[in-house]
Amino acid sequence: MSWKFSVSHSLPLFFLFFLYSFPLISTQHNDDPTFKTMHDFSGYPVDESSHTFTPSNSSSLSVDIQALQKQIDELSTFSDTPAPSVTRILYTENDVLARRYVKNLMGLAGLSVTEDVVGNIFGRWDGYEPELTAVATGSHIDAIPYSGKYDGVVGVLGAIEAINALKRSGFKPKRSLEIILFTSEEPTRFGIGCLGSRLLAGSEALAEALKTTVDGQNISFLEAARSAGYARDEDDLSSVFLKNYIYSAFVELHIEQAPILEEEGISIGVVTNIAAPASIKVDFEGNGGHAGGVLMPDRNDAGLAAAELMLAIEKHVTESGSLDTVGTVGILELYPGAINSIPSKAHLEIDVRDIEESFRNAVINKIHKAAKSIAKKRKVTLSEFKIINQDPPAHSNGSVIKAVVDASDELNLTYKYMISRAYHDSLFMARISPMGMIFIPCYKGYSHKPEEYASPQDIENGVKVLALTLAKLSLR
C-alpha cells in the first residue's frame, strides 16, 4: 500500500495525524503479503510486540535520494585532485576530513560511533535484543588516484541512508545494526588491499608486517596512522581482531564495476561468489647499454623479457579452462627509463583471479615457469618472483542471498545472480561472518576513473534493497 499526499492548509490537523498514523496500526498488517513474508522469513511472530514492528509494506521505505546524492557529491570534495576525479589516500588530510564527515552523518542518524586503532569506524543502532549478535553492513571511502566518487562510497553513505529509511518507516531492529567504514580497501599507499577488513578478520601476519611497513616516501604505517590520530600508544594491532561470528550476517552494497547489469537492464546483482585474487611481483635484470651501441644479438634486454611474459600471462589465463580466470599486468616499470637506453631492469606487478583457487593457482604456476623460461632464453636474470598475497575465494551465505532476493522481489526489482571479479572487504568479512553483497549498475561498468557513475534511481533501488535486507536479517 502506497499513498502520496498533496497537503492542503485547510485540512484539519487531527485528520492529518490520523491519515499519517493509519499505516502504523498493527491490525492493518494481517492481510499484507509483504508483512507475512517478513513474518515467515524472520521465524518470529513479529506482531506479538510493538518492539518487532516492521515496515507494513516495502513501499513504506522512503529513501531521500536527493540528500544522499548531495552527500556523495560533498564527500567527493575531500580529494587531492580536482573534480571530477577523486583521490583520497589513507591517513592523508583529505582522508581524515572525509572520515570526520562520515562520522558526523552517523551521529546525525542517531548511531553510536566508535573507532579502532587503525581507523575502522563503526556506527551502531542498538536492537531491542542487543545481546544478540549484530547484523553489519558497510564499505570504504578511500579512493585510488584519479578515480571516481561512487566506489565504496555508495556502500557507506547508502548504508547510513538505509538506516534512516528504516527509522522513518517505524522499524525497530531486533538484532543491532552496525555500519562499518573499512580502513584502506585500496592498496594505494602501503600496497595492501582491504587492510582494515583483513585485520578485523584476524590476520596476525598482517598485524606483524605493519610494524615495519613503509610507503613510497619511507613513512611507516604506524607513523602515518598516528598522524591521522590512530594507533597513538600501541604498536600491537591485534586489538583490531574480531571474534568469529561476532556478526550474524554482513552485507555490502556496491556498484558493480562491470557492465553486465546495465547492458541487461537489470536493477540488482545478487553476488554468489567473490573471485580469489593473487598478486605477484616480478623483476628481470639484464646488462642494459646504449640503444645505438649494442647490436640486437648481443642484448640482454629486461624490457623485452617483461613484454614476453605479459603475452605469456594472457595466453595462460585465456587457456585456463575457466571463463572466470582473469590476469592483469597493472604495473610495468623499466629502468633506467630513458629512450636511448636498453632496459637493465624490468619490474612487473601481476593480478590473477578466479572464483576457484585451483584454476588460479594453476595459472600462477604456469606464469612462474614461463618467467624462468623467458629469463633463460633472453639471458637475463629472474631476480624476483614473489607472491604477495594469494587469498582464497569467498562464497556468499545462503541465508543472506535469500534475504537479498526476497527484498528485491518485494520491491518488484529485477535481479540476477552473479560473481564479483573485483574483490571487496566482503571477501575478508566472510572469514568471520555469513556474507553477501548487493550490486547496482554503473555507467558502462566504469570504475577507478573519473567517469565512474551510478544513477540516482539505481542508488535508490540499492539502498531500498539493503534496508529491507537488513530488516529481514535483524529479525532472525
Side-chain angles (χ1 to χ4, degrees):
M1 186 179 296
S2 176
W3 291 311
K4 293 184 180 179
F5 301 106
S6 177
V7 178
S8 167
H9 290 294
S10 63
L11 288 173
L13 288 176
F14 79 89
F15 178 72
L16 288 178
F17 176 80
F18 174 77
L19 197 58
Y20 279 98
S21 300
F22 189 72
L24 305 184
I25 300 173
S26 61
T27 56
Q28 297 295 5
H29 298 323
N30 295 337
D31 300 321
D32 191 308
T34 302
F35 186 77
K36 183 179 184 300
T37 299
M38 294 186 74
H39 177 288
D40 294 342
F41 177 86
S42 69
Y44 294 92
V46 293
D47 51 359
E48 281 187 357
S49 164
S50 61
H51 289 301
T52 50
F53 172 78
T54 56
S56 64
N57 189 303
S58 57
S59 62
S60 69
L61 282 173
S62 172
V63 172
D64 190 344
I65 190 59
Q66 290 184 333
L68 178 54
Q69 184 63 60
K70 182 181 179 183
Q71 292 163 7
I72 292 170
D73 294 341
E74 287 176 345
L75 190 62
S76 73
T77 65
F78 301 110
S79 172
D80 295 333
T81 53
S85 71
V86 178
T87 301
R88 195 159 47 238
I89 310 301
L90 176 64
Y91 299 146
T92 59
E93 180 182 1
N94 277 306
D95 181 48
V96 172
L97 291 173
R99 289 164 176 272
R100 188 178 303 164
Y101 180 86
V102 173
K103 286 187 286 184
N104 183 57
L105 290 178
M106 287 180 171
L108 291 173
L111 307 180
S112 57
V113 182
T114 57
E115 300 175 273
D116 64 24
V117 297
V118 298
N120 290 310
I121 300 171
F122 306 84
R124 177 171 286 230
W125 180 15
D126 285 330
Y128 61 83
E129 292 191 19
E131 70 279 4
L132 297 176
T133 52
V135 176
T137 184
S139 197
H140 67 99
I141 62 167
D142 60 318
I144 68 168
Y146 296 95
S147 61
K149 61 184 176 183
Y150 295 91
D151 175 17
V153 169
V154 168
V156 176
L157 300 187
I160 297 173
E161 178 55 26
I163 296 291
N164 285 330
L166 288 172
K167 287 190 172 187
R168 286 191 294 267
S169 77
F171 176 76
K172 298 289 190 288
K174 178 180 180 179
R175 296 177 182 271
S176 299
L177 298 178
E178 186 153 88
I179 298 171
I180 308 174
L181 188 165
F182 294 100
T183 281
S184 192
E185 193 259 5
E186 306 291 3
T188 312
R189 184 165 187 180
F190 292 100
I192 303 165
C194 298
L195 188 152
S197 54
R198 285 178 191 269
L199 286 174
L200 290 175
S203 176
E204 295 179 1
L206 177 58
E208 186 64 28
L210 287 173
K211 294 178 181 179
T212 56
T213 297
V214 297
D215 66 10
Q217 306 301 314
N218 208 35
I219 299 171
S220 74
F221 173 82
L222 291 172
E223 181 183 353
R226 287 169 183 144
S227 73
Y230 300 108
R232 292 183 185 277
D233 301 312
E234 57 181 300
D235 294 345
D236 183 7
L237 302 180
S238 63
S239 64
V240 177
F241 299 171
L242 296 179
K243 296 178 181 178
N244 285 344
Y245 299 102
I246 192 170
Y247 297 116
S248 64
F250 174 83
V251 57
E252 181 174 5
L253 173 65
H254 209 282
I255 61 171
E256 184 193 354
Q257 298 181 292
I260 296 172
L261 293 175
E262 183 188 55
E263 289 176 352
E264 297 184 9
I266 294 173
S267 298
I268 297 294
V270 183
V271 175
T272 57
N273 300 279
I274 302 176
S279 302
I280 309 164
K281 290 185 177 181
V282 178
D283 286 333
F284 290 110
E285 294 185 30
N287 293 334
H290 194 287
V294 182
L295 296 176
M296 298 304 288
D298 300 325
R299 296 188 178 195
N300 310 108
D301 191 328
L304 290 178
E308 189 170 344
L309 181 61
M310 290 174 71
L311 293 174
I313 291 167
E314 180 186 37
K315 177 179 184 294
H316 294 312
V317 164
T318 55
E319 295 177 357
S320 74
S322 168
L323 180 64
D324 296 316
T325 310
V326 292
T328 305
V329 179
I331 295 176
L332 172 62
E333 297 171 344
L334 302 180
Y335 301 89
I339 191 172
N340 60 348
S341 181
I342 301 166
S344 58
K345 181 180 179 181
H347 173 79
L348 304 91
E349 295 191 18
I350 307 161
D351 181 299
V352 182
R353 308 180 186 214
D354 199 290
I355 60 171
E356 296 294 339
E357 279 186 280
S358 58
F359 286 106
R360 182 203 62 189
N361 293 349
V363 168
I364 291 172
N365 289 335
K366 290 178 180 178
I367 291 172
H368 193 188
K369 290 179 182 178
K372 290 189 287 187
S373 174
I374 290 165
K376 182 178 180 180
K377 181 178 74 172
R378 293 192 171 273
K379 298 179 182 179
V380 297
T381 301
L382 178 62
S383 55
E384 181 175 57
F385 189 97
K386 184 177 182 181
I387 299 173
I388 305 302
N389 64 271
Q390 200 166 356
D391 297 309
H395 306 289
S396 296
N397 177 268
S399 64
V400 181
I401 290 174
K402 183 180 188 304
V404 175
V405 168
D406 288 350
S408 301
D409 279 335
E410 290 173 30
L411 292 162
N412 295 316
L413 294 172
T414 55
Y415 63 88
K416 74 173 297 178
Y417 297 104
M418 60 198 316
I419 68 169
S420 173
R421 290 178 176 84
Y423 72 102
H424 306 277
D425 291 302
S426 291
L427 180 72
F428 300 97
M429 291 303 289
R431 299 180 181 181
I432 58 172
S433 168
M435 176 278 298
M437 289 194 73
I438 301 165
F439 277 171
I440 61 170
C442 56
Y443 174 66
K444 292 187 177 180
Y446 288 164
S447 189
H448 283 193
K449 56 192 295 188
E451 294 87 351
E452 178 181 277
Y453 175 76
S455 73
Q457 184 60 64
D458 287 328
I459 295 172
E460 181 176 356
N461 290 341
V463 172
K464 283 186 175 182
V465 171
L466 176 63
L468 200 53
T469 299
L470 292 174
K472 291 174 178 294
L473 295 172
S474 171
L475 295 175
R476 290 195 310 179

